[in-house]
Amino acid sequence: MHPDLDIVIPARPKDLGGFEVRRALPFAKRRMVGPFIFLDHIGPAEMPPGQAVDVRAHPHINLATVTYLFEGALLHRDTLGTELVIRPGDVNWMTAGRGIAHSERTPSPERETGHRLHGIQFWVALPIEHEETAPEFFHHPAATLPTFTEQNVPIRLLAGAAYGRTSPVKTYSPMFYFEAELAAGQSLSFLPEAQECGVYIAAGDLVAGEDSYAVGDLLVYRPHATVQVRSTGGARIIVFGGAALPGERKIWWNFVSSRPERIEAAKADWEAGRFGLPPNESERIPLPPQ
């Protein structure tokens, strides 16, 4: 392993009830990268007619969810009254703050005709002073996000700041999150400026130093290291990270918080129905066994 790398995490398969994802974070030996505490790689999955994603209403606290699709579509509903479809290149940023519930489903047209689904979902832990902020939801169409080339590599900046540019997505702590598509033989370097940094391979291959990596590998760099990667056959990568948040974060089911007692309160609130349900939703995921 290259000395600039701290750890390489292989994403593990996780069944979400009808479809499978690769989960890279959290990991036993590395819980977070900057404020990013959860990484699910969705697909790529072929959805024939009649097959659909149906993630029923479920709650979150003290975090933000960030959804980005390469292919396909998802219908998002939440207890703020939001109901919209996210498509490739868009960013959905949902700040749970003191509490929100949402669902994610395949939209009706794709449910009938079939489609291919491929994307990334992150959870971003909020700074302690923002954990109980009011919940918010922001949809950013692809055309509103900075796209540019760096070292001849196409890049879309999804959140935070990188390469002298800043995304319009509202964030709560210093971070960066971008997609890069390397053609065969191309290289990319990136200086995280002392922030923590991870590189996730969503498609293709990467080489770091003398070692080769494949889809599902998360490369986590040491502090102050410069990211330097190349691809033999082409790759789609997600580069993300930021300033480490002070204080430990607890994670239980869909709840993240700096305070264990806050998670216990959220459990009771979900059991008692105090989160409510999104519009046009009558089902919810029950609280898991303790």
Side-chain angles (χ1 to χ4, degrees):
M1 188 168 71
H2 193 278
D4 283 346
L5 289 173
D6 180 49
I7 189 172
V8 176
I9 300 172
R12 293 87 60 205
K14 178 74 174 178
D15 190 295
L16 295 186
F19 73 105
E20 191 172 86
V21 300
R22 294 182 175 98
R23 182 161 296 170
L25 289 176
F27 185 65
K29 295 181 179 179
R30 183 73 189 224
R31 304 293 289 174
M32 300 174 68
V33 177
F36 293 83
I37 195 168
F38 178 97
L39 191 175
D40 265 3
H41 179 190
I42 305 164
E46 297 289 346
M47 298 279 185
Q51 183 177 336
V53 171
D54 281 302
V55 180
R56 294 167 292 162
H58 57 282
H60 294 289
I61 61 164
N62 294 185
L63 59 81
T65 66
V66 190
T67 305
Y68 181 72
L69 297 181
F70 306 121
E71 300 175 87
L74 284 173
L75 172 63
H76 167 95
R77 294 174 174 144
D78 65 43
T79 45
L80 295 175
T82 310
E83 185 168 357
L84 61 79
V85 175
I86 181 173
R87 298 193 180 279
D90 301 344
V91 167
N92 275 5
W93 178 290
M94 185 183 75
T95 301
R98 60 176 175 254
I100 198 168
H102 74 132
S103 64
E104 294 163 299
R105 298 182 183 273
T106 300
S108 295
E110 286 80 7
R111 191 179 292 260
E112 294 169 6
T113 63
H115 75 303
R116 181 176 165 91
L117 184 65
H118 190 199
I120 298 286
Q121 187 169 85
F122 277 111
W123 294 355
V124 177
L126 297 177
I128 290 172
E129 63 271 23
H130 293 297
E131 284 187 324
E132 297 298 326
T133 193
E136 295 180 298
F137 178 84
F138 300 100
H139 175 77
H140 296 268
T144 67
L145 301 170
T147 56
F148 53 95
T149 58
E150 181 70 32
Q151 301 151 54
N152 296 317
V153 174
I155 289 175
R156 172 172 280 129
L157 180 58
L158 307 177
Y163 296 114
R165 295 165 173 87
T166 302
S167 166
V169 175
K170 179 181 178 180
T171 59
Y172 290 84
S173 63
M175 69 173 62
F176 52 88
Y177 173 23
F178 61 88
E179 173 194 10
E181 292 188 77
L182 284 73
Q186 276 192 315
S187 299
L188 181 69
S189 62
F190 173 65
L191 179 61
E193 297 179 350
Q195 299 177 96
E196 296 183 348
C197 181
V199 176
Y200 182 78
I201 306 171
D205 71 274
L206 276 189
V207 178
E210 300 301 317
D211 298 316
S212 297
Y213 301 97
V215 174
D217 286 336
L218 170 58
L219 285 58
V220 181
Y221 282 77
R222 297 185 185 279
H224 306 287
T226 298
V227 174
Q228 293 181 313
V229 295
R230 59 185 172 88
S231 179
T232 301
R236 169 175 263 156
I237 62 174
I238 293 294
V239 183
F240 67 97
L245 295 181
E248 184 184 1
R249 295 302 187 278
K250 303 292 185 183
I251 183 168
W252 187 89
W253 190 41
N254 298 310
F255 303 134
V256 168
S257 183
S258 63
R259 297 155 292 154
E261 67 275 11
R262 183 64 182 89
I263 291 177
E264 293 304 313
K267 292 180 187 180
D269 287 343
W270 184 244
E271 283 274 68
R274 288 189 283 269
F275 277 86
L277 286 173
N280 298 312
E281 290 286 348
S282 58
E283 300 178 292
R284 65 181 195 150
I285 299 176
L287 196 73
Q290 301 292 328

